[in-house]
Amino acid sequence: MDNHATTRVDPRVVEAMLPYFSEIYGNAASINHQFGWDASDAVEAARAQVAALLKTDADNLIFTSGATEANNLALKGVMRGAAPGGHLVVNAAEHKAVLDPAKRLSRQGFDVTVLPVDQYGMVDPQQVEESLEENTVLVSVMSANNEVGTLNPVDEIAEICRKRGVLFHCDAVQSLGKLPWDFEAVPADLVSLSAHKMYGPKGIGVLYVRHGSPRIKIEPLFDGGGHERHLRSGTLPVPLIVGLGKAAEVAGSEMAAESTRLRQLRDRLWEGLQHRLQGLQLNGHPDRRLPGNLNVSIEGVDGEALMMRLKEIAVSSGSACTSADPQPSHVLRAMGVSDALTRASLRFGLGRFNTDAEVDFAIDIVVDAVTALRNSSNGEQ
Ligand SMILES: Cc1ncc(COP(=O)(O)O)c(C=O)c1O
């Protein structure tokens, strides 16, 4: 139940990838023989599958090692490609893969604004508008928060940026494949995605970089063979790219039905917990949120003691996927949640392979753990 951290690779994706480890193993940049042509064909077919999910041209897509790299390329690449001292706008609830590049850019002399978020973790478009300066180059706002699932009004924010001639980047990792993406509604210039959040393999992602004018100038993170429009040098990992393509195709065809099912599963979990426990606080927006997300703080229990009792289910407290060193959630803190409730928060990310029976099992485990902890602390008093 920790599908916001990562997902199981769909068996259909594994099957599509397998031949590209053995029979079709060429280098997609080898232009003189059949092995290379076959690999290159597979890469371009996968690029088209991802483009179909985003409803865009395949030429706009740059393969990266994941969304961390895509976000770094978007932020550092665009800021370093623009005039020195440019202004970047991010917000306090972004993933570390946006906040940390922004911090580094600030240390390197760029002007960085970190906007606050409201009690749901949402960015206010008006605050974005007010933050724009003469020298603003780029605004970065995620589509869906990876901890609390809140959906940002990225349509309005992208439109504000477009009108003001400022570039807009969206980390769409958590919403792509779960909710439809539409460039007509969200005129973003740069979009990051990651395969392993949508039942594809780890280690592959995409940065969408809008083609056309005004041209987006990006300084690459690596220099080398000039792959991917000279923006991302390095031999392409063909099996991973094929897996991403297949994952995007499956997501595109199953998204609507899957989202309905996940919403029902999430509501079953939330209702089940609420029915049997007092003192629960929902974190994140009650309606504007990802279908499979439930982030809940539990009053009157110690967070660490609670996690110790939940070994039979895979959930995270705070966010396991944002950083390798566990810190109290910066997202909940930015939303104004107290330290105690932040520590006693559980994030459920329900996914494609979760079932009703698993949800019922999870409810029992959480209810038993919370009841035992509350009873023992009452006994101590
Ligand atoms: C919103 C968001 N952005 C970026 C990332 C980083 O993605 P990746 O693991 O592909 O580097 C994650 C997950 O870790 C995420 O949830």
Side-chain angles (χ1 to χ4, degrees):
M1 296 193 171
D2 200 12
N3 286 274
H4 297 317
T6 198
T7 57
R8 173 179 159 187
V9 181
D10 190 294
R12 292 165 286 185
V13 171
V14 175
E15 196 189 326
M17 289 171 68
L18 285 177
Y20 294 91
F21 288 103
S22 46
E23 296 107 72
I24 317 169
Y25 62 85
N27 184 328
S30 296
I31 52 170
N32 296 316
H33 52 70
Q34 192 65 43
F35 293 95
W37 303 330
D38 289 345
S40 168
D41 286 350
V43 166
E44 294 318 316
R47 204 188 300 274
Q49 286 168 312
V50 179
L53 181 67
L54 290 174
K55 298 189 236 42
T56 186
D57 289 340
D59 297 355
N60 295 318
L61 307 181
I62 306 294
F63 290 117
T64 64
S65 62
T68 299
E69 187 189 331
N71 288 347
N72 272 266
L73 180 58
L75 269 67
K76 293 178 186 163
V78 166
M79 297 310 294
R80 291 172 183 165
H87 178 217
L88 167 69
V89 179
V90 297
N91 65 84
E94 288 294 313
H95 192 273
K96 295 281 184 191
V98 163
L99 289 175
D100 286 356
K103 255 190 223 160
R104 187 174 297 278
L105 287 164
S106 167
R107 286 199 297 273
Q108 291 172 345
F110 291 90
D111 183 8
V112 176
T113 299
V114 183
L115 291 174
V117 290
D118 68 10
Q119 76 266 36
Y120 303 123
M122 200 185 290
V123 179
D124 177 0
Q126 198 181 329
Q127 286 190 342
V128 172
E129 183 149 34
E130 286 164 8
S131 75
L132 301 181
E133 310 276 355
E134 274 298 294
N135 62 339
T136 310
V137 177
L138 179 67
V139 171
S140 181
V141 179
M142 68 204 323
S143 56
N145 188 273
N146 50 297
E147 293 191 32
V148 295
T150 296
L151 305 178
N152 273 313
V154 285
D155 46 355
E156 283 177 60
I157 296 170
E159 189 53 31
I160 289 167
C161 293
R162 195 188 60 78
K163 280 198 185 130
R164 295 283 294 269
V166 169
L167 295 174
F168 178 65
H169 167 250
C170 183
D171 174 344
V173 165
Q174 293 289 347
S175 75
L176 282 179
K178 295 171 191 145
L179 299 170
W181 181 266
D182 179 5
F183 280 104
E184 299 271 316
V186 186
D189 301 285
L190 302 131
V191 180
S192 302
L193 75 89
S194 180
H196 76 98
K197 308 287 184 176
M198 50 182 209
Y199 314 97
K202 293 165 187 57
I204 186 72
V206 162
L207 181 64
Y208 161 94
V209 181
R210 175 188 51 70
H211 252 123
S213 73
R215 195 172 86 80
I216 304 174
K217 234 180 119 200
I218 300 188
E219 193 169 299
L221 299 175
F222 325 131
D223 296 306
H227 308 73
E228 300 296 283
R229 287 161 53 191
H230 291 273
L231 289 177
R232 207 288 185 172
S233 287
T235 301
L236 291 172
V238 180
L240 300 183
I241 291 173
V242 168
L244 165 58
K246 186 67 186 175
E249 183 194 278
V250 173
S253 65
E254 300 187 355
M255 181 160 41
E258 186 164 286
S259 292
T260 306
R261 193 183 76 85
L262 290 181
R263 218 169 268 125
Q264 285 164 354
L265 217 51
R266 188 265 319 276
D267 292 346
R268 181 187 185 99
L269 175 61
W270 180 221
E271 279 154 25
L273 290 173
Q274 274 184 302
H275 186 66
R276 291 171 56 190
L277 289 174
Q278 303 286 315
L280 301 184
Q281 177 185 306
L282 178 72
N283 297 314
H285 199 282
D287 313 312
R288 285 187 57 104
R289 64 185 162 135
L290 286 173
N293 176 276
L294 179 68
N295 190 314
V296 59
S297 288
I298 304 175
E299 288 168 17
V301 293
D302 173 67
E304 255 176 54
L306 178 62
M307 286 309 285
M308 294 293 287
R309 287 176 177 264
L310 297 182
K311 299 274 188 227
E312 282 175 273
I313 54 173
V315 293
S316 75
S317 77
S319 169
C321 88
T322 59
S323 94
D325 67 317
Q327 295 283 332
S329 156
H330 68 280
V331 174
L332 295 181
R333 186 167 284 174
M335 289 162 54
V337 178
S338 71
D339 280 354
L341 283 181
T342 294
R343 277 197 305 277
S345 72
L346 299 177
R347 178 188 68 169
F348 297 85
L350 302 177
R352 183 173 294 167
F353 302 105
N354 288 127
T355 61
D356 281 353
E358 286 174 348
V359 164
D360 295 343
F361 177 72
I363 294 169
D364 286 343
I365 298 279
V366 174
V367 169
D368 288 353
V370 171
T371 309
L373 287 171
R374 284 180 176 164
N375 286 343
S376 70
S377 68
N378 282 342
E380 279 162 20
Q381 279 161 14

